[in-house]
Amino acid sequence: MGDWNTTKVLDHGFVHLRDSMPSIWSTRVVDGLGAGDYRIEEAARVSTSHLPMDVQRSIGVAGDYAVTRTSEQTKKLIKYMFDNSHTTPFEMVRLTYVVKAPIFVERQAVRHRMAGTNEQSARYSKLPCEFYVPSIDRMQEQSTTNKQGSGALLDEEQALQCIGLIRRSAENAYRDYESMLNSGLTRELARMVLSTNFYTQKFWTIDLHNFMGFCRQRCDGHAQWEIRQYANAMLSMAEHVAPYVISLFREKHGLVAA
Ligand SMILES: Cc1cc2nc3c(=O)[nH]c(=O)nc-3n(C[C@H](O)[C@H](O)[C@H](O)COP(=O)(O)OP(=O)(O)OC[C@H]3O[C@@H](n4cnc5c(N)ncnc54)[C@H](O)[C@@H]3O)c2cc1C
């Protein structure tokens, strides 16, 4: 997967930034500022009665908007709003992703209610035999200090045994799924036996303010490792849309770019 807006995640998944508002295809980064950064400034400047130049022209009013703004002024305004929780201008930028992820990852992602999701339906079509099997360096034991976290690595023999069990369970489930479909059972019931490591796909749209809320929670070390891989991939792509805002976000939360 070569383009900057498509990344492979886990063994069969991916993240693809489909488009954004303003469009990723109109984005040209100058002085560390992208189209998303400028959109935030445009929206914010309406508060002080400054409309964008082209809007002023369209309505036949002469004004002082962009001609008098320097990159440093734009950055100063955005940083002020970022630091002081003036959040609504950040909602004027939107991101749309296409994502393929295991069902258990999607179940965590769908909790972010401010995002819009349209997910593949296993009622309409038969799911392929694609399921997530963690690699051996992810085969960790239950953490003793964090009830929802992972601890040290299992020893190799135990890890390989568990990997074998994960694979066998999913293969058995898929065999039963196909067998029930072949018996004529409706897809909406047959799918019940598939485990949550089977892959699903979705379109996912979110504004930049809520996207940063998602990344604050899901790039964090307390989030499950698998969803972190997706959140980090999405964050890197958002950098092309609003590079200055994402750099402020990374700095605030100690998230280093890959
Ligand atoms: C490490 C971790 C562990 C978790 N464990 C669990 C768990 O065990 N069980 C579980 O069910 N969930 C769990 N969650 C999900 C968590 O409780 C949130 O539902 C999820 O992270 C979405 O966060 P959010 O509400 O901020 O995002 P969104 O739903 O996108 O909402 C964004 C913001 O909009 C506002 N908002 C949205 N909906 C409402 C509302 N109805 N009323 C008022 N304000 C609203 C809030 O300000 C909210 O922060 C976990 C999340 C994390 C990161």
Side-chain angles (χ1 to χ4, degrees):
M1 297 193 189
D3 296 337
W4 66 266
N5 60 330
T6 308
T7 303
K8 191 174 185 301
V9 185
L10 306 184
D11 50 0
H12 300 294
F14 65 79
V15 168
H16 171 82
L17 179 59
R18 184 73 186 133
D19 209 346
S20 64
M21 189 187 78
S23 169
I24 47 172
W25 310 120
S26 70
T27 297
R28 200 165 65 86
V29 176
V30 178
D31 286 343
L33 291 162
D37 298 311
Y38 284 115
R39 175 61 52 83
I40 292 162
E41 182 195 33
E42 271 186 1
R45 297 254 296 156
V46 168
S47 302
T48 49
S49 306
H50 292 90
L51 292 175
M53 276 301 261
D54 54 328
V55 177
Q56 289 179 7
R57 258 186 245 113
S58 302
I59 59 171
V61 178
D64 66 344
Y65 183 69
V67 275
T68 60
R69 304 290 293 171
T70 64
S71 301
E72 287 319 305
Q73 285 173 310
T74 298
K75 286 181 180 172
K76 194 172 164 194
L77 174 61
I78 292 175
K79 182 160 169 36
Y80 178 82
M81 292 188 296
F82 184 87
D83 289 343
N84 292 282
S85 303
H86 291 302
T87 55
T88 44
F90 297 85
E91 293 172 24
M92 303 303 136
V93 174
R94 294 192 71 81
L95 304 158
T96 297
Y97 293 92
V98 185
V99 179
K100 182 175 175 186
I103 293 166
F104 73 87
V105 170
E106 176 50 20
R107 186 154 175 188
Q108 295 174 336
V110 82
R111 297 304 313 278
H112 294 266
R113 295 155 289 178
M114 294 300 111
T117 299
N118 193 70
E119 190 187 351
Q120 176 178 24
S121 169
R123 296 175 74 195
Y124 282 116
S125 55
K126 179 182 165 186
L127 290 183
C129 187
E130 273 186 325
F131 50 85
Y132 169 57
V133 180
S135 58
I136 190 152
D137 54 0
R138 169 65 178 112
M139 296 303 287
Q140 294 163 266
E141 61 185 25
Q142 172 59 45
S143 167
T144 50
T145 53
N146 176 353
K147 285 185 180 164
Q148 63 176 2
S150 305
L153 281 177
L154 286 178
D155 71 45
E156 192 177 336
E157 191 185 339
Q158 287 170 316
L160 289 172
Q161 193 186 10
C162 291
I163 285 174
L165 288 172
I166 291 168
R167 191 178 293 285
R168 198 185 69 197
S169 297
E171 283 168 355
N172 285 344
Y174 197 81
R175 205 171 299 118
D176 292 343
Y177 171 66
E178 277 200 307
S179 161
M180 286 187 277
L181 291 178
N182 291 339
S183 304
L185 184 67
T186 178
R187 285 187 291 269
E188 65 184 4
L189 285 178
R191 65 177 173 168
M192 289 191 303
V193 298
L194 297 177
S195 40
T196 59
N197 59 337
F198 274 82
Y199 276 87
T200 182
Q201 305 183 86
K202 66 171 177 183
F203 255 68
W204 195 72
T205 293
I206 191 165
D207 68 64
L208 188 60
H209 167 61
N210 282 293
F211 178 70
M212 289 191 283
F214 168 81
C215 291
R216 182 175 52 74
Q217 295 182 21
R218 303 302 182 176
C219 295
D220 183 86
H222 291 94
Q224 185 165 346
W225 182 83
E226 282 76 9
I227 196 168
R228 264 170 24 219
Q229 308 315 302
Y230 283 90
N232 283 323
M234 289 172 169
L235 184 61
S236 295
M237 291 174 192
E239 226 146 32
H240 291 256
V241 178
Y244 183 61
V245 172
I246 300 299
S247 73
L248 293 175
F249 176 78
R250 283 196 187 278
E251 193 182 321
K252 181 174 179 184
H253 297 287
L255 296 167
V256 182

